[in-house]
Amino acid sequence: MKTVTMRVDDSIYDMIKLAADGQKRNLSNFIEFATMQYLTSSQFVENSEMNEIMNDKELVKNLMNGFDDLKNGDYNIV
């Protein structure tokens, strides 16, 4: 297990604390819970969905072309 130190604005802290209290969790447990909820719902896809994406040859080609454009400096991510 790792220890993480972070700085947050007082208003953000108050929101996190209120949410943790509302779920009857301590602060650290709520931050871990909220992070896992975000990561698993926003950042990952099921294997079947990823297989469907990877089998769409035109989509993969377009994504790779976009990635090449980005590497070549044709676009900026803001």
Side-chain angles (χ1 to χ4, degrees):
M1 182 165 294
K2 302 288 184 194
T3 299
V4 177
T5 301
M6 58 188 247
R7 292 178 188 265
V8 295
D9 186 77
D10 289 344
S11 62
I12 302 293
Y13 175 86
D14 292 341
M15 287 193 298
I16 296 170
K17 181 73 171 123
L18 187 63
D21 291 346
Q23 291 195 6
K24 298 192 182 339
R25 296 176 183 267
N26 64 43
L27 201 58
S28 124
N29 180 264
F30 178 78
I31 291 170
E32 182 178 4
F33 165 78
T35 302
M36 287 304 298
Q37 286 291 105
Y38 174 78
L39 292 173
T40 57
S41 67
S42 299
Q43 304 298 317
F44 298 101
V45 296
E46 297 289 329
N47 286 337
S48 61
E49 186 178 3
M50 183 54 74
N51 288 336
E52 185 177 332
I53 291 168
M54 295 306 294
N55 287 326
D56 186 333
K57 300 304 179 195
E58 186 170 342
L59 173 62
V60 171
K61 179 183 166 197
N62 289 337
L63 289 171
M64 294 307 292
N65 287 340
F67 184 64
D68 289 340
D69 288 344
L70 183 64
K71 285 193 305 188
N72 293 332
D74 296 336
Y75 295 98
N76 292 320
I77 297 178
V78 293

